[in-house]
Amino acid sequence: MPAKIPWLPSHVPEGAHPETCSHCGRRAVIPWTLRRDDRTKVVFRTWVCTECQVTAERPEPE
């Protein structure tokens, strides 16, 4: 397993509702940060697996 990245969470916070990670199979994927695309103005949320540190961006409903 690769080293944990310090600015990403390393555990699921209390009260979070994690999803299953498609990479490692653990229930550890949580919503993390928001960003807005400058060109399209669409809001994206970065989701991160607290176990394997894989990230994915998904469009966020406004």
Side-chain angles (χ1 to χ4, degrees):
M1 180 185 300
K4 303 259 181 182
I5 301 169
W7 59 86
L8 294 177
S10 60
H11 65 282
V12 176
E14 188 175 322
H17 302 288
E19 296 181 4
T20 304
C21 178
S22 60
H23 187 258
C24 71
R26 296 183 176 148
R27 287 194 49 85
V29 177
I30 59 171
W32 192 239
T33 59
L34 289 172
R35 79 168 183 88
R36 185 179 298 273
D37 186 289
D38 291 333
R39 285 187 307 111
T40 63
K41 304 301 182 203
V42 174
V43 177
F44 289 96
R45 180 171 298 274
T46 300
W47 290 69
V48 62
C49 177
T50 60
E51 293 294 326
C52 66
Q53 304 285 284
V54 169
T55 60
E57 279 194 333
R58 301 180 193 170
E60 184 79 2
E62 294 196 35

